[in-house]
Amino acid sequence: MQKASPMMWRGIGKTRKKDLATRQSPFMSTTSTTTSPIPIVELRQYELHPSQAREYVQSTANSSFLRASNLPLAFFGYPETGSVPLNTAIHLYHYRGGHSDRLEKRNALAMKDEWKKYLGEVKQCMISQNSGIFVEAGLVNNFEGVSGLEPWVGSALNTGSTGKGIVELRKYQLQLGYDTVPKFLELYSNALPSKLNAIGTHPTTQLITVLVSDIGSLNTVYEIWKHGDRGTCGMAAMDQSRQASRSSIEWKNGIAAIASLSVSFESTVLKPSNFSPLR
């Protein structure tokens, strides 16, 4: 079965706000003839041995600058609760230059002695590794406050406290079919404003991006939300915002329509590491 290209996903789910025209990238148009590479997002998940998870966390924190200064790291953290198994390292990278950019940066890092030493320390801590490639949906940057992952890359290269904030990873596994993802994004983008503007939404709640799978498990869509901050409990903020969205008729109707396209919904609460840019 033929699948739609990343260019198509980037062109779906736009708002009709007139003041957004100057903010759109060349990748937002399905008729664009640009030869520029399409940015990609890599989601990596490493399942850890429970008895060696602490060792992995410590070694990874100690080597965090090496990772963040050589790769476009946007997020690094671990599940607090939800569908992703505990003791799993979750990391996201935004490669502005697409696949060639990813290959170049990863090959360069693999040659560094410090990285080889780090890998030697943590290899025994891991049970399995998984990598998937995604593109950001066209609605990213078209809604006020939805920034995408790129602005977060390199924004917090320090090891300060993450406070009480959390990152929420919401997964939609959609039915097979060429038109399923475009239909989902159309329904989602039409309903999203009512959720973002729902009365009672916690002020720290922010939709960061919407990702569509391109390599890996296809017809998969992820929402990435940020809740809470250094002084505000992320779980409480998430719960407040969820309750607020349930009062929105447009959002409820949109989700009801999306449910008919879906196989499953999953949600995971992630605790950002101290070196994670997104936190």
Side-chain angles (χ1 to χ4, degrees):
M1 178 179 295
Q2 183 183 13
K3 66 185 181 69
S5 68
M7 190 74 76
M8 177 176 287
W9 302 152
R10 293 291 296 179
I12 297 169
K14 301 181 201 174
T15 63
R16 297 181 176 86
K17 293 170 65 177
K18 294 181 180 179
D19 62 342
L20 294 173
T22 59
R23 298 173 58 190
Q24 295 179 357
S25 77
F27 309 113
M28 295 300 177
S29 172
T30 58
T31 59
S32 172
T33 58
T34 179
T35 58
S36 299
I38 298 172
I40 61 172
V41 173
E42 182 177 19
L43 169 61
R44 299 179 73 91
Q45 302 183 61
Y46 297 170
E47 183 182 2
L48 309 176
H49 288 283
S51 62
Q52 296 176 303
R54 185 182 296 273
E55 179 181 346
Y56 176 90
V57 171
Q58 186 60 56
S59 293
T60 299
N62 291 342
S63 302
S64 60
F65 183 78
L66 183 62
R67 181 190 304 272
S69 59
N70 287 276
L71 298 176
L73 178 68
F75 174 81
F76 201 108
Y78 305 90
E80 183 74 18
T81 186
S83 61
V84 175
L86 300 177
N87 299 311
T88 300
I90 307 286
H91 27 141
L92 286 159
Y93 303 88
H94 183 282
Y95 292 95
R96 187 175 188 181
H99 292 285
S100 60
D101 184 25
R102 173 183 177 274
L103 184 62
E104 179 181 346
K105 285 183 167 60
R106 292 196 62 83
N107 285 346
L109 180 58
M111 299 298 293
K112 294 182 179 293
D113 290 337
E114 304 97 314
W115 187 249
K116 294 177 183 178
K117 178 182 177 182
Y118 161 72
L119 292 181
E121 294 173 351
V122 300
K123 183 177 181 180
Q124 64 182 1
C125 304
M126 295 182 285
I127 299 172
S128 65
Q129 297 174 288
N130 178 272
S131 169
I133 300 297
F134 296 77
V135 292
E136 293 188 309
L139 61 88
V140 175
N141 296 316
N142 285 2
F143 288 95
E144 190 69 30
V146 184
S147 64
L149 284 173
E150 186 175 16
W152 294 93
V153 173
S155 64
L157 297 182
N158 61 67
T159 56
S161 172
T162 61
K164 302 177 181 180
I166 62 169
V167 169
E168 181 186 13
L169 192 65
R170 297 180 64 84
K171 178 182 178 182
Y172 299 82
Q173 185 58 56
L174 306 179
Q175 297 172 8
L176 297 179
Y178 183 88
D179 295 328
T180 309
V181 172
K183 289 178 181 178
F184 170 93
L185 291 175
E186 182 178 3
L187 291 167
Y188 182 88
S189 61
N190 288 337
L192 182 60
S194 67
K195 180 174 183 176
L196 296 177
N197 299 316
I199 297 175
T201 298
H202 197 277
T204 65
T205 289
Q206 179 185 358
L207 176 61
I208 302 298
T209 193
V210 176
L211 304 175
V212 178
S213 60
D214 188 52
I215 299 177
S217 179
L218 300 181
N219 283 23
T220 301
V221 178
Y222 280 105
E223 294 175 277
I224 299 178
W225 294 81
K226 180 180 180 296
H227 306 278
D229 53 26
R230 291 183 182 276
T232 304
C233 175
M235 294 289 282
M238 179 182 70
D239 185 59
Q240 179 178 325
S241 297
R242 281 185 173 183
Q243 294 298 327
S245 68
R246 289 166 185 160
S247 66
S248 169
I249 300 300
E250 293 86 353
W251 178 249
K252 290 172 65 176
N253 290 341
I255 288 297
I258 285 171
S260 67
L261 302 174
S262 304
V263 175
S264 63
F265 295 161
E266 297 179 10
S267 177
T268 302
V269 171
L270 304 173
K271 182 66 176 177
S273 66
N274 286 345
F275 62 86
S276 176
L278 174 58
R279 53 179 173 165

